[in-house]
Amino acid sequence: MGEAQTLAKALDILFAIAATGTQLSVSEIASQVNIPESTAYRLLRTLEQNGIVERKIKGKISLGFRILDLARCLYQEMDRELFIIARPIMEGLTEECGETSVLMVRSGIHAVCIQSVESQRAIRFSLPNGRILPLHVSASGKVILAFEDKTVIEQVLAHIGDPGPVARDLATIRQEGCSITVAEIDQDVMGIGVPVYDAYGRIMASLTIAGPVERMQKQDLAALAQTVRQAAGQISGRLQHKEPRQ
C-alpha cells in the first residue's frame, strides 16, 4: 500500500468511526473500510499514538481528544464575517433577555458552540466555545437539524433508537420557526433556538438563548422567541447582503 493509499485508508477509518457516532471494534472498522484486520491494527496504532483515536474497554475504538483540538482550530478559522456580524447582536440579545446567547454550527451529526455571550446574572447558563452537543437533543442542534437537507436528517435519525419523537419535533420546529427545549441537556436548563441563514438562504447556524428553567418559564415565551427570531434575522439579513462567494 503506497503512502497516498495509506493516508486515504486512515482517513476512511476516521470517517467510519465518526459516522457511527459510537465505538467500533477493529474487526468492525476493517469491515467498513474494506481492509485486512492486520492493516487496520497498524493504521489504528499510528492514529492512537498521535491521539487521533483512543482504545476503550473491550478493544473498542473511538475518536480521540486530539480531534477536538483540530475542530477548535477549524472553527477559529471559520468565516470571520459570521463572528463579526453576530457578536454585537448577541450582546444586545443577552442584555435584553437577561440570559446567555449561544451561536452553534453543525459538524457531522453534532452541533458545536462557536460563540457565546453569558448572562451577567449570578445563576446563569454557560457553554464554552468548542463544546459539542448532539444535534437531536438541544434547542440549538434541533433547529439546525430541522432545516438541514433530507440526507442529514436521515443520517441523524438513523442513530436514534426511537426516531419518531424527534421526527415529530423537527416537523413542529419547521412549522413554528423555532425550537424550545426543557431539560434536554441539563435538567435545570431551558433553551429557545432559531435558525441563521447564509447568503444563499441555507441554514448556517443556530442562535439560542438559554437559562434556568424556573426563571425562563416565568416569562412570556412567545415574546421571548420572537426576540430571538429578530436577532437571528438581523444576523441572516446582514450575511445575505454580503456578496455571495463563488
Side-chain angles (χ1 to χ4, degrees):
M1 187 182 294
E3 290 184 4
Q5 287 180 307
T6 299
L7 177 59
K9 290 301 181 183
L11 291 173
D12 286 343
I13 287 174
L14 296 180
F15 295 145
I17 297 172
T20 61
T22 186
Q23 302 169 12
L24 297 175
S25 67
V26 175
S27 60
E28 288 171 333
I29 291 171
S31 176
Q32 289 200 27
V33 181
N34 195 27
I35 56 176
E37 283 193 30
S38 58
T39 302
Y41 271 112
R42 178 169 55 82
L43 293 174
L44 286 166
R45 186 167 57 249
T46 300
L47 292 171
E48 185 178 10
Q49 289 171 350
N50 288 276
I52 304 300
V53 301
E54 292 183 356
R55 194 176 302 273
K56 303 295 185 179
I57 58 173
K58 299 181 180 179
K60 294 287 188 176
I61 306 296
S62 69
L63 295 178
F65 282 103
R66 187 72 184 278
I67 289 290
L68 293 179
D69 293 333
L70 298 177
R72 290 189 185 98
C73 290
L74 171 62
Y75 290 113
Q76 286 172 0
E77 295 174 4
M78 284 184 63
D79 196 344
R80 298 297 300 175
E81 203 170 78
L82 175 59
F83 291 87
I84 293 169
I85 289 173
R87 183 72 191 189
I89 295 173
M90 291 173 68
E91 289 173 349
L93 178 64
T94 293
E95 183 176 356
E96 181 175 356
C97 297
E99 305 295 351
T100 297
S101 60
V102 178
L103 190 68
M104 301 193 80
V105 297
R106 182 177 72 86
S107 177
I109 60 174
H110 296 87
V112 182
C113 175
I114 60 172
Q115 188 163 211
S116 66
V117 178
E118 287 193 15
S119 166
Q120 295 302 304
R121 294 180 172 182
I123 300 175
R124 60 182 180 270
F125 175 69
S126 179
L127 193 72
N129 291 349
R131 174 72 184 277
I132 300 173
L133 299 174
L135 270 176
H136 67 284
V137 290
S138 67
S140 297
K142 278 185 175 178
V143 80
I144 293 175
L145 182 60
F147 294 97
E148 270 289 358
D149 60 47
K150 184 178 179 181
T151 301
V152 174
I153 294 174
E154 290 177 347
Q155 181 185 14
V156 173
L157 294 181
H159 288 82
I160 303 172
D162 180 10
V166 175
R168 289 190 290 273
D169 284 349
L170 298 181
T172 300
I173 292 167
R174 283 190 290 271
Q175 182 178 0
E176 298 182 352
C178 73
S179 173
I180 300 178
T181 59
V182 178
E184 288 202 351
I185 294 298
D186 186 299
Q187 64 178 357
D188 299 318
V189 174
M190 180 176 187
I192 300 177
V194 299
V196 173
Y197 299 100
D198 67 11
Y200 296 94
R202 299 172 303 198
I203 184 71
M204 182 180 193
S206 64
L207 178 64
T208 301
I209 58 165
V213 173
E214 286 190 20
R215 190 165 67 212
M216 288 189 66
Q217 286 185 331
K218 291 178 181 178
Q219 300 188 55
D220 182 340
L221 295 183
L224 206 54
Q226 183 59 25
T227 299
V228 186
R229 285 193 192 95
Q230 290 172 351
Q234 291 180 47
I235 298 173
S236 298
R238 294 181 188 181
L239 287 169
Q240 290 167 17
H241 280 86
K242 297 291 183 179
E243 186 69 27
R245 294 180 178 179
Q246 301 299 319

